[in-house]
Amino acid sequence: MDKKIILSGIKPTGIPTLGNYIGALRNWNLMQKDGNYCYYMVADLHALTVRNDPDELRQQTRSMAALLIACGIDPDRSPLFIQSHVHQHAELSWLLGCVTYMGELNRMTQFKDKSAKHADNINAGLYTYPVLMASDILIYGAHQVPVGDDQKQHVELARNIAIRFNNAFGDTFVVPEPVMPKFGARIMGLQDPEHKMSKTDTNPNGYISMLDDPAVITKKFKKAVTDCEPVIAYAEGRYGCNNLLTIFCACTGKTMDEAVKDFEGCGYGRLKAAVAEAVIAELEPVQSEYRRIMDDREYLDGVLKKGAEQAAEKAQQTLDLAFSRVGIR
Ligand code: ATP
Ligand code: LTN
């Protein structure tokens, strides 16, 4: 089997949701196998593209790192680090920005969505965000990038940037590809199932936080928006029902056909209770591990320091090569 280099990141903009977990974090854990070498990071620089509170950012960055370990990231095998601790990302980002077209950035749907959501703060960082993300990926020579569906477009841009740079200056970057889970690459909001579940949703009933306790999880699913159709089925346009079934499959390992059969003749009450139960079983071990890690400050600091050192070694090599290719060194 081919040894693959994997990289992914998550913004410390709040406690991750069930969507982050199913769409990305669970896969990060699973990819640490065979000969793969995985780099995982907390993307604190990316978090600055929306208004932030410095104390909150500090706290959320640590908390996110602890949660990643609780999700199964093994820092002895996969460097785990904070993006800003490896200064090379921001430097490479400048070079890549010079081979990225504004037309490409104009097409990014996350930029359009975030601009609409934060109309009073459409900053240049929000616009060039995908270039920094390309730098995160290309600096490690990542072959694969495990992400949810909403980030696919950004990974595709990273591919195009890599190909363009290689064509212009000679072979420098590995051309990466996105990897998405079979079920749950786009978990939808519980209150607005036509939009993705997001950790920065202003309505907490719209998402399941990974640290919600069982009673809260049960309550949020009970309130989840569904539809008036009498039969539980996976079908076009039935956003709420489809979302619950998808979450059920993702947490139980069942196929969609099996799940639909399980709920034959049942009402939404039964489906919602079963989904809540499956989610609680999935999240409980992660939550207790998280609390243990957060209580051990020294351990977490040590992991992040070592992770940044390991990452920086590789990042510097790529940066040196890229600089020399463009004629700077
Ligand atoms: P924010 O609300 O701050 O924009 P977010 O909840 O969208 O954040 P990110 O930090 O942008 O989360 O995403 C981390 C990872 O989780 C990415 O790979 C992203 O594709 C994935 N992800 C985010 N939301 C979902 C979702 N609803 N379903 C599946 N995957 C998701
Ligand atoms: N943009 C991503 C977070 C992120 C990322 C990355 C993901 C930053 N750098 C590199 C994969 C690879 C997001 O919003 N989820």
Side-chain angles (χ1 to χ4, degrees):
M1 184 159 307
D2 273 358
K3 180 182 151 142
K4 295 265 191 297
I5 296 176
I6 315 287
L7 171 120
S8 201
I10 182 165
K11 288 173 291 176
T13 39
I15 300 163
T17 67
L18 183 65
N20 297 130
Y21 179 70
I22 294 175
L25 304 184
R26 207 165 59 151
N27 238 358
W28 292 16
N29 178 5
L30 296 174
M31 290 181 92
Q32 305 175 110
K33 56 165 191 203
D34 308 325
N36 289 353
Y37 193 73
C38 307
Y39 294 90
Y40 292 126
M41 60 162 209
V42 181
D44 58 346
L45 295 175
H46 276 110
L48 300 177
T49 53
V50 295
R51 284 207 180 84
N52 78 292
D53 175 277
D55 287 334
E56 224 169 67
L57 180 61
R58 253 187 289 276
Q59 192 277 330
Q60 284 174 339
T61 300
R62 283 184 71 75
S63 161
M64 183 63 84
L67 248 172
L68 296 181
I69 301 171
C71 284
I73 305 307
D74 174 2
D76 285 332
R77 144 164 221 186
S78 315
L80 172 67
F81 60 98
I82 310 296
Q83 183 185 32
S84 64
H85 294 183
V86 185
H87 61 81
Q88 289 86 349
H89 292 219
E91 289 173 58
L92 180 62
S93 182
W94 179 257
L95 294 198
L96 301 183
C98 296
V99 294
T100 306
Y101 298 123
M102 287 177 65
E104 291 176 300
L105 296 178
N106 289 338
R107 283 196 293 274
M108 295 294 117
T109 56
Q110 180 173 295
F111 174 68
K112 292 183 206 164
D113 292 349
K114 295 271 174 191
S115 301
K117 231 175 164 179
H118 305 273
D120 60 338
N121 184 23
I122 306 177
N123 59 76
L126 195 61
Y127 187 63
T128 57
Y129 176 118
V131 179
L132 178 59
M133 180 163 159
S135 169
D136 299 334
I137 297 168
L138 302 184
I139 209 162
Y140 297 105
H143 302 95
Q144 295 186 332
V145 186
V147 283
D149 169 83
D150 64 309
Q151 293 299 317
K152 191 170 159 230
Q153 195 185 31
H154 288 164
V155 182
E156 278 159 3
L157 176 67
R159 281 179 70 83
N160 292 336
I161 293 175
I163 292 168
R164 189 171 310 134
F165 190 102
N166 289 348
N167 285 340
F169 300 109
D171 223 14
T172 309
F173 298 121
V174 172
V175 179
E177 58 173 14
V179 177
M180 284 177 294
K182 194 157 126 236
F183 275 117
R186 191 176 190 82
I187 298 292
M188 310 310 275
L190 298 184
Q191 290 299 311
D192 177 7
E194 290 191 48
H195 289 102
K196 76 161 193 150
M197 184 181 281
S198 163
K199 58 176 137 60
T200 48
D201 189 340
T202 46
N203 179 1
N205 286 324
Y207 58 84
I208 302 288
S209 148
M210 284 189 66
L211 298 179
D212 277 344
D213 66 43
V216 173
I217 294 177
T218 307
K219 196 183 82 200
K220 286 185 179 175
F221 275 116
K222 242 184 209 159
K223 287 189 179 160
V225 169
T226 46
D227 56 39
C228 308
E229 300 276 341
V231 178
I232 289 176
Y234 191 91
E236 175 98 33
R238 295 193 61 188
Y239 305 104
C241 183
N242 292 349
N243 193 36
L244 293 177
L245 285 168
T246 302
I247 296 172
F248 184 77
C249 290
C251 292
T252 57
K254 295 197 179 191
T255 64
M256 192 51 79
D257 284 348
E258 287 166 345
V260 169
K261 221 174 232 145
D262 279 1
F263 297 107
E264 228 167 51
C266 296
Y268 277 117
R270 210 12 253 300
L271 172 63
K272 289 176 174 181
V275 176
E277 200 181 303
V279 169
I280 291 165
E282 184 80 23
L283 294 186
E284 241 172 0
V286 178
Q287 295 181 351
S288 55
E289 186 60 4
Y290 166 77
R291 285 188 285 270
R292 196 184 64 74
I293 297 161
M294 279 304 270
D295 283 344
D296 192 345
R297 213 190 158 82
E298 215 177 302
Y299 166 73
L300 190 55
D301 286 345
V303 162
L304 296 175
K305 183 163 181 283
K306 188 171 138 224
E309 283 164 5
Q310 289 172 319
E313 201 181 317
K314 172 69 185 167
Q316 189 61 50
Q317 285 169 6
T318 311
L319 188 65
D320 286 342
L321 178 64
F323 269 137
S324 83
R325 289 276 199 249
V326 298
I328 282 184
R329 283 182 192 154

